[in-house]
């Protein structure tokens, strides 16, 4: 059968269909409607392209530092005060911890307030005669923990990209000014993304009391490393540095890291190897997502090695199908990180460069030699129990006179002081129990009419009252002002009673906190405190054995 013959067979059917007027009208409507819809879409695309050509649009995700830059920058814009719908934040996440002037500070001590874009809303601002549209969107994410992810979209009516660069520079400077006296601490969530945990004030290096040379050794080494990026690049050496701080608990390892982070102006990213659900792939993602300049911290790495890490990969348990519950964490799930995965994450091809790694451990001998080799842990620093030098310096710093206060406060302090407070051999200069707990009872010496039975019962109840029983010293009062000679003499007396390398700095600080306003008693009673501490420690060891 030829083709024309086949078409002839369908001819009557086609003629019958075309003879139906309704179908002809439907066909015309379909063709006309398709034409107009196509024109509408073309015009819409052309209009959107034309409008977009006059706008610059930038998006910022909340897991990126630029998001915080822009939020702080927006909160400081004068034109933002005219916005009618906003979120109010009383925390310091978008305000920073920078010290304010006396005019700006709140005398009541309440936190500062920041005005932020509200979620799911659009706002318009003017910046340097440019019209801006700002939209903040929150999207849900699966899993437990943070269940949403925010993004900030900014559209600027300009064809010049320099205005966006200027805004980013101003936003970064505003963020740096806000964070001038603080550092930010990050932790990882269940989706292996970094989340801001807290903002902490910088700790002065002078407040870290170590044996001479240890503090300067680590700080100067880290400073020299950060300034040697070109030297590493010229020689093709990965730009990474690792420090292993090991030794007795409570000897100042974490405190030194906190202080170094503030000195170098680096944020701290805590890597918890024992986090539930963390495996080798997740650990590699976390380390590769670290910013170029930061401190990565692995605390008590010996405990993680003992509990979950080994040379061999952890076998994967069989997969079971279960109902997904987004709001509840997995139960009894442990880390699946292997030692080989940790080693590859630290210096593998995907490891981030420019970061400084700090690892702490109390059991140096339990670490695998592969973990301690140069390239992973380049500098090993031992922290010992307190020396007499450290005890002397700690005592001096603890009882240094406080910063000057208004005259009224000084008069009150002098009124509370007594001549005995200036004598080194005074009995209880400031630490008298009567100063810590008010045991005095006010008696009315004037004549009064006979008391009623109810009044007598109230007085009898008051007379039977006893002061509360507690252990420690109330956080009240101030240490007397000591001269430099008095302070040095008391510090020498205190240090002479401390056995060399016999007690931790954390324990000494805890003891001095219990004697915070009693320097003479602190120096005199330290021997008795040490005997009690050693006896308790011996009893605990005997109980364990």
């Amino acid at each position: 059968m030829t083709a024309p013959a086949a078409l002839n067979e369908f001819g009557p059917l086609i003629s019958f269909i075309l003879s139906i007027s309704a179908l002809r009208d439907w066909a015309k409507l379909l063709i006309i409607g398709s034409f107009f819809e196509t024109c509408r879409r073309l015009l819409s695309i052309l209009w959107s392209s034309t409008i977009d050509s006059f706008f610059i649009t930038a998006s910022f995700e909340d897991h990126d530092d630029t998001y915080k830059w822009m939020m702080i920058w927006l909160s400081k814009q004068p034109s933002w005060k005219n916005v009618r719908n906003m979120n109010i934040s009383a925390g310091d996440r978008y305000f920073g911890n920078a010290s304010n002037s006396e005019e700006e500070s709140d005398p009541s001590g309440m936190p500062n307030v920041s005005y932020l874009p509200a979620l799911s809303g659009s706002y318009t601002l003017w910046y340097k005669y440019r019209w801006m549209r700002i939209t903040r969107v929150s999207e849900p994410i699966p899993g437990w923990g943070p269940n949403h992810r925010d993004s900030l979209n900014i559209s600027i009516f300009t064809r010049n990209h320099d205005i966006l660069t200027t805004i980013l520079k101003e936003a970064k400077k505003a963020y740096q000014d806000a964070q001038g006296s603080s550092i930010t601490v990050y932790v990882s969530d269940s989706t292996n993304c970094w989340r801001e945990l807290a903002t902490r004030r910088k700790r002065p290096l002078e407040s870290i009391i170590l044996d001479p040379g240890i503090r300067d050794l680590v700080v100067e080494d880290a400073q020299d490393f950060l300034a040697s990026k070109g030297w590493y690049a010229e020689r093709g050496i990965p730009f990474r540095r690792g420090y292993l701080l090991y030794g007795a608990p409570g000897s100042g390892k974490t405190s030194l890291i906190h202080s170094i982070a503030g000195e170098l102006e680096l944020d701290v990213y805590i890597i918890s190897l024992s986090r539930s659900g963390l495996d080798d792939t997740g650990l590699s993602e976390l380390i590769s997502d670290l910013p170029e300049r930061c401190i990565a911290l692995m605390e008590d790495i010996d405990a993680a090695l003992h509990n979950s890490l080994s040379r061999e990969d952890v076998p994967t348990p069989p997969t079971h199908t279960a109902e997904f519950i987004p709001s509840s964490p997995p139960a009894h799930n442990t880390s699946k990180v292997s030692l080989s995965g940790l080693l590859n994450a630290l210096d593998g091809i995907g490891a981030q460069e420019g970061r400084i790694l700090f690892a702490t451990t109390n059991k140096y001998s339990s670490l695998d030699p592969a973990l301690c080799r140069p390239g992973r842990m380049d500098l090993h620093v031992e922290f010992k129990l307190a020396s007499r030098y450290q005890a002397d310096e700690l005592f001096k710093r603890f009882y240094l006179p406080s910063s000057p206060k208004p005259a009224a406060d000084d008069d009150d302090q002098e009124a509370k002081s007594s001549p005995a407070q200036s004598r080194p051999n005074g009995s209880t200069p400031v630490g008298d129990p009567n100063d810590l707990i008010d045991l005095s009872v006010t008696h009315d010496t004037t004549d009064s009419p006979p008391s009623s039975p109810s009044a007598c019962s109230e007085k009898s109840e008051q007379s039977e009252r006893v002061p509360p029983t507690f252990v420690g010293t109330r956080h009240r009062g101030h240490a007397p002002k000591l001269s430099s000679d008095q302070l040095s003499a008391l510090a020498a007396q205190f240090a002479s009673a401390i056995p060399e390398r016999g007690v931790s700095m954390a324990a000494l600080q805890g003891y001095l906190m219990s004697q915070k306003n009693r320097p003479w008693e602190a120096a005199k009673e330290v021997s008795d405190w040490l005997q009690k501490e050693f006896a308790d420690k011996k009893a605990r060891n005997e109980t364990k054995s």
Side-chain angles (χ1 to χ4, degrees):
M1 183 180 295
T2 61
L7 292 176
N8 292 334
E9 292 182 358
F10 291 100
L13 178 61
I14 296 175
S15 299
F16 173 73
I17 294 175
L18 294 177
S19 65
I20 303 175
S21 60
L23 292 178
R24 290 199 305 269
D25 294 339
W26 292 345
K28 292 177 183 179
L29 183 62
L30 177 63
I31 295 173
I32 295 173
S34 300
F35 173 77
F36 280 105
E37 177 63 18
T38 302
C39 293
R40 187 193 67 81
R41 294 191 180 188
L42 290 175
L43 289 175
S44 177
I45 294 173
L46 180 61
W47 174 258
S48 299
S49 301
T50 303
I51 294 299
D52 291 342
S53 64
F54 291 96
F55 280 86
I56 294 177
T57 302
S59 298
F60 305 91
E61 303 292 338
D62 64 346
H63 58 80
D64 192 83
D65 289 340
T66 55
Y67 180 86
K68 293 187 295 183
W69 299 358
M70 295 306 301
M71 293 293 281
I72 291 178
W73 181 79
L74 286 173
S75 67
K76 297 181 180 297
Q77 292 303 304
S79 56
W80 192 256
K81 298 178 181 179
N82 299 324
V83 175
R84 314 303 297 177
N85 185 19
M86 65 192 73
N87 281 358
I88 306 299
S89 174
D92 56 7
R93 181 182 182 188
Y94 299 120
F95 195 89
N97 283 336
S99 58
N100 302 323
S101 62
E102 294 182 2
E103 293 79 4
E104 296 177 348
S105 60
D106 189 347
S108 65
M110 298 298 291
N112 296 285
V113 175
S114 300
Y115 298 90
L116 307 173
L119 293 171
S120 303
S122 295
Y123 316 91
T124 58
L125 294 177
W126 287 92
Y127 173 76
K128 293 186 177 181
Y129 307 105
R130 267 86 169 185
W131 185 83
M132 298 174 56
R133 183 176 66 247
I134 299 160
T135 306
R136 186 181 174 198
V137 181
S138 179
E139 298 178 354
I141 56 176
W144 58 276
N147 55 2
H148 63 88
R149 179 165 294 169
D150 295 347
S151 62
L152 187 70
N153 301 322
I154 298 179
S155 297
I156 310 171
F157 185 67
T158 182
R159 294 175 61 89
N160 187 1
H161 282 75
D162 293 340
I163 190 67
L164 179 60
T165 304
T166 302
I167 292 176
L168 289 175
K169 288 181 179 179
E170 290 186 5
K172 183 178 181 180
K173 186 178 185 302
Y175 174 78
Q176 291 175 342
D177 293 342
Q179 302 294 109
S181 60
S182 63
I183 60 174
T184 306
V185 182
Y186 295 85
V187 294
S188 61
D189 59 15
S190 59
T191 61
N192 294 327
C193 293
W194 290 109
R195 294 285 176 180
E196 181 178 334
L197 175 65
T199 301
R200 295 288 180 261
R201 284 194 172 273
K202 296 179 180 179
R203 181 170 180 175
L205 280 173
E206 295 76 15
S207 66
I208 308 299
I209 301 174
L210 301 173
D211 287 324
I214 294 181
R215 184 181 63 195
D216 296 337
L217 168 68
V218 182
V219 174
E220 292 174 0
D221 188 272
Q223 290 174 337
D224 183 73
F225 164 74
L226 294 176
S228 304
K229 184 176 181 180
W231 185 91
Y232 280 81
E234 290 174 358
R235 291 156 179 80
I237 303 174
F239 186 50
R240 295 187 287 265
R241 189 74 172 167
Y243 299 89
L244 179 61
L245 311 184
Y246 68 95
S251 54
K253 298 185 287 293
T254 304
S255 299
L256 178 62
I257 296 171
H258 181 182
S259 181
I260 291 176
E263 179 70 16
L264 303 180
E265 298 183 352
L266 301 177
D267 292 333
V268 177
Y269 291 74
I270 299 177
I271 302 174
S272 177
L273 300 178
S274 58
R275 197 202 76 197
S276 297
L278 183 65
D279 55 10
D280 293 346
T281 303
L283 180 62
S284 298
E285 291 178 0
L286 288 176
I287 294 182
S288 62
D289 288 342
L290 290 171
E292 184 176 354
R293 287 175 58 90
C294 72
I295 289 179
L297 174 59
M298 296 182 181
E299 290 191 284
D300 296 326
I301 195 172
D302 58 295
L305 286 167
H306 177 73
N307 292 332
S308 62
L309 298 188
S310 63
R311 274 288 190 180
E312 302 298 331
D313 292 337
V314 177
T316 304
T319 304
H320 298 281
T321 303
E323 183 181 358
F324 176 69
I325 304 176
S327 60
S328 60
H332 304 291
N333 193 11
T334 59
S335 173
K336 302 176 182 178
V337 177
S338 64
L339 181 58
S340 60
L342 173 61
L343 301 180
N344 291 330
L346 292 180
D347 62 354
I349 191 172
Q352 178 62 282
E353 296 192 3
R355 55 91 180 134
I356 296 178
L357 173 66
F358 277 94
T360 65
T361 179
N362 298 331
K363 299 178 181 179
Y364 182 71
S365 59
S366 65
L367 298 181
D368 194 286
L371 181 63
C372 301
R373 72 165 178 80
R376 293 173 180 144
M377 303 294 174
D378 302 279
L379 189 63
H380 303 189
V381 183
E382 182 180 7
F383 285 69
K384 302 178 181 179
L385 294 175
S387 64
R388 289 193 174 94
Y389 166 82
Q390 290 177 278
D392 185 275
E393 293 296 320
L394 179 63
F395 191 95
K396 290 179 181 178
R397 185 168 186 85
F398 204 89
Y399 293 107
L400 276 177
S402 302
S403 57
K405 296 183 179 180
D409 294 344
D410 294 340
D411 295 341
D412 293 342
Q413 181 66 24
E414 292 176 1
K416 293 180 181 179
S417 303
S418 63
Q421 291 176 350
S422 61
R423 300 196 307 269
N425 57 355
S427 58
T428 54
V430 179
D432 187 77
N434 293 329
D435 293 336
L436 301 178
I437 305 174
D438 188 6
L439 301 180
S440 60
V441 180
T442 303
H443 300 281
D444 190 0
T445 58
T446 60
D447 295 336
S448 59
S451 301
S452 61
S454 60
C456 294
S457 61
E458 291 178 0
K459 288 186 178 181
S460 61
E461 291 178 0
Q462 292 179 359
S463 63
E464 293 177 358
R465 291 178 183 174
V466 295
T469 303
F470 62 93
V471 178
T473 305
R474 291 178 58 189
H475 198 283
R476 173 184 143 182
H478 302 277
K481 295 180 179 180
L482 303 175
S483 65
S484 58
D485 292 339
Q486 287 177 323
L487 186 59
S488 298
L490 288 175
Q493 178 184 353
F494 175 79
S496 64
I498 303 299
E500 190 74 15
R501 312 298 182 189
V503 65
S504 68
M505 288 290 289
L508 290 181
Q509 180 173 308
Y511 168 74
L512 292 179
M513 278 297 298
S514 67
Q515 307 282 349
K516 64 183 270 310
N517 53 356
R518 302 170 36 162
W520 286 282
E521 282 74 7
K524 180 180 179 181
E525 299 173 2
V526 64
S527 298
D528 298 336
W529 172 78
L530 285 172
Q531 292 179 2
K532 182 178 182 299
E533 286 292 308
F534 292 148
D536 293 343
K537 183 178 179 181
K538 183 179 179 180
R540 288 193 299 268
N541 293 336
E542 291 177 352
T543 302
K544 291 180 180 180
S545 60

